[in-house]
Amino acid sequence: MSRFTLDQMRTFLTVVRRGGVRRAAAALSLTQPAVTARIKNLEDMLGCALFDRSAGGMKLTKRGELLLAHAEKFEHLVELVQRDVVDPEGVEGRLRIGASETIAQCWLPELVSRLHEVYPKLEIELNVDVSTDLREALLNREVDLAILLGPISEYSVDNIILPGFDLAWYTAANPREREGGGGDLTRPVMTYARNTRPFRELKELLYEKVGADVSMFPSTSLSACFRLVEADIGVAVLPRALGAEYVRAERIREFDPGWVPSPLQFTASYLSEPKSHLSETAAALALEVAELYAAGADAL
């Protein structure tokens, strides 16, 4: 009998975890025929069917269940070898990172730079999205590391708490004369996208402190929010770390209405199973970079 390969084992595990060939092909960046061929070759090698193929999808046979248990042990052993034996400079492959826009505009470039220093041959794929979508992408194994508003309360996910981001209120540097001044909270309030935790929390606070007639302008682009404030379209409550540059350039200014939402809490989250030394290392590096960024921001 020929020996099976690492690629065949990874493909088999991916098909099982993703629930089919199509999703496995997308996760592995392969064509569906290539994934099918790997599974067929593995079955031919073992002399048995691993999947029961029916209209209802692919379900493991009894032999497939047995192989799954061994394959997971084999995968764990490979991770231990990569962690303890392989020189980081020789590590190849792909690391898929999903990050919120706040992180992307702050310290994500520094994280990528650090990862390239440790793993020069590693291919890094970035996806910037809202936290709700990043959570689903991580649980669906479409990203390996999610840096998002967390933590993710799932038994299968490990979360590393990152330094938070203080929020501040902003208005135009030279707002037009109006009743209430530039910091009038009855004006449109620019903030995070509608399907995010910061939007929901801000909406509840505005209803409580200003009233139900408050006008909110949610946006997936924080840069657009700052530009709208600069143009005196409205006010905004956004991360101080991102607003500092605009304030220094005297394009906008902070104001104090007497209250501000709680700081944004981010986590570096990754799946605990299957264990991935690469994801763990990237999450630990994310914490180091975030702490250095926070220390620098505090010094400003």
Side-chain angles (χ1 to χ4, degrees), residues 53 61 109 114 140 144 153 162-163 176 179 184 199 207 221 234 275:
R53 298 164 175 83
T61 62
R114 288 287 300 278
N140 290 331
D144 305 301
S153 300
L162 304 174
R176 292 186 294 273
E179 185 179 351
D184 183 4
F199 174 86
Y207 278 18
S221 170
K275 194 173 182 64

Side-chain angles (χ1 to χ4, degrees), residues 89-115:
E89 292 192 3
V91 172
E92 298 182 2
R94 180 178 56 152
L95 179 68
R96 300 165 301 172
I97 301 176
S100 72
E101 188 190 358
T102 302
I103 302 301
Q105 291 198 31
C106 291
W107 50 259
L108 184 60
E110 284 74 17
L111 173 61
V112 173
S113 178
R114 288 287 300 278
L115 284 167

Side-chain angles (χ1 to χ4, degrees), residues 22 38 47 62 172 175 196 211 226 229 233 242-243 245 266 272 291:
R22 181 178 61 80
R38 284 187 184 181
K62 289 184 178 180
T196 62
F226 280 114
V229 171
I233 303 301
L242 297 181
E245 181 179 347
F266 288 86
S272 56
E291 288 177 338

Side-chain angles (χ1 to χ4, degrees), residues 128-145:
V128 178
D129 208 336
V130 295
S131 292
T132 50
D133 291 344
L134 292 175
R135 177 185 182 278
E136 292 306 308
L138 180 65
L139 295 177
N140 290 331
R141 304 179 189 273
E142 295 167 359
V143 297
D144 305 301
L145 175 67

Side-chain angles (χ1 to χ4, degrees), residues 214-269:
V214 67
S215 177
M216 298 181 68
F217 282 18
S219 174
T220 58
S221 170
L222 301 185
S223 297
C225 289
F226 280 114
R227 291 195 296 270
L228 289 170
V229 171
E230 183 181 1
D232 200 23
I233 303 301
V235 299
V237 58
L238 297 167
R240 179 173 279 120
L242 297 181
E245 181 179 347
Y246 293 87
V247 172
R248 284 194 297 269
E250 298 183 347
R251 298 163 60 184
I252 62 176
R253 63 175 174 82
E254 288 191 29
F255 72 94
D256 182 11
W259 61 276
V260 67
S262 58
L264 303 180
Q265 185 64 68
F266 288 86
T267 61
S269 303

Side-chain angles (χ1 to χ4, degrees), residues 177-197:
E177 290 294 331
R178 56 170 60 86
E179 185 179 351
D184 183 4
L185 295 189
T186 62
R187 299 181 62 209
V189 178
M190 320 294 169
T191 190
Y192 281 78
R194 189 175 301 277
N195 58 334
T196 62
R197 188 189 306 164

